[in-house]
Amino acid sequence: LIWRASPIRRAATPRWPQQVGYYEAGLYLRQHPELKPVGAWNAGIDSYFAGGGVVDLDGLVNDDAAQYVLSNSLKKYLAERHIDRVIDDSIMWDSDLTRARGGYAGDVLVRCINSKVTLWQAPIVYRVGDHIMLSMLDPQCLNGIDDQ
């Protein structure tokens, strides 16, 4: 209990542990170009190391995605661009807050997940940033009725 509250423990905990995971995900995509294009809300590191093929989904860098994110219709954006894979921190699927900020409020997009593969997991589980997942989405679900 003392260790968990300790400032030494907090100092030893990386501030952004998932950056290593995004690096590993980028290398994985470089080795598996057949998976591209993939979407990601946090696309910088993995896109760089993948050599491209990672589409930014947050609407901050990718202006084309912005209107879909703001209207919570990211599912439609993915369908129109034939993106059926997403690489990102598992919190982007698991947290109501990040789902709303990610442009797909509720479980609209989560219901389209066929499978998930962990590409990287932190050696020590943190509150966020401890799992980088490759999620495969069902294209038929993405093209289905827009359930907003």
Side-chain angles (χ1 to χ4, degrees):
L1 183 60
I2 293 171
W3 171 248
R4 289 194 56 81
S6 165
I8 296 169
R9 178 183 176 269
R10 284 192 299 259
T13 303
R15 184 177 284 274
W16 307 108
Q18 71 273 33
Q19 289 180 347
V20 173
Y22 293 130
Y23 165 74
E24 295 289 338
L27 294 180
Y28 182 83
L29 284 176
R30 183 178 289 276
Q31 294 169 353
H32 298 280
E34 71 279 4
L35 297 174
K36 298 175 187 179
V38 300
W41 293 275
N42 300 289
I45 296 171
D46 43 1
S47 181
Y48 178 81
F49 288 100
V54 181
V55 178
D56 185 85
L57 300 179
D58 65 16
L60 297 175
V61 174
N62 180 358
D63 292 339
D64 292 339
Q67 65 182 335
Y68 296 90
V69 171
L70 294 172
S71 64
N72 282 314
S73 57
L74 193 59
K75 178 178 164 181
K76 183 177 178 183
Y77 177 83
L78 294 171
E80 288 174 359
R81 282 150 183 84
H82 307 287
I83 298 170
D84 60 1
R85 294 175 184 90
V86 175
I87 281 187
D88 220 307
D89 190 330
S90 61
I91 194 144
M92 295 304 296
W93 298 115
D94 300 339
S95 164
D96 290 337
L97 176 62
T98 53
R99 284 197 302 241
R101 288 179 41 222
Y104 59 104
D107 65 350
V108 169
L109 196 54
V110 174
R111 284 182 275 156
C112 293
I113 298 173
N114 271 341
S115 62
K116 292 182 181 180
V117 176
T118 299
L119 297 181
W120 176 85
Q121 182 174 346
I124 300 171
V125 177
Y126 305 103
R127 283 178 276 164
V128 298
D130 58 356
H131 285 83
I132 303 300
M133 310 291 294
L134 172 61
S135 302
M136 280 65 77
L137 308 175
D138 179 0
Q140 291 179 336
C141 176
L142 292 176
N143 285 307
I145 298 170
D146 194 16
D147 27 333
Q148 294 193 32

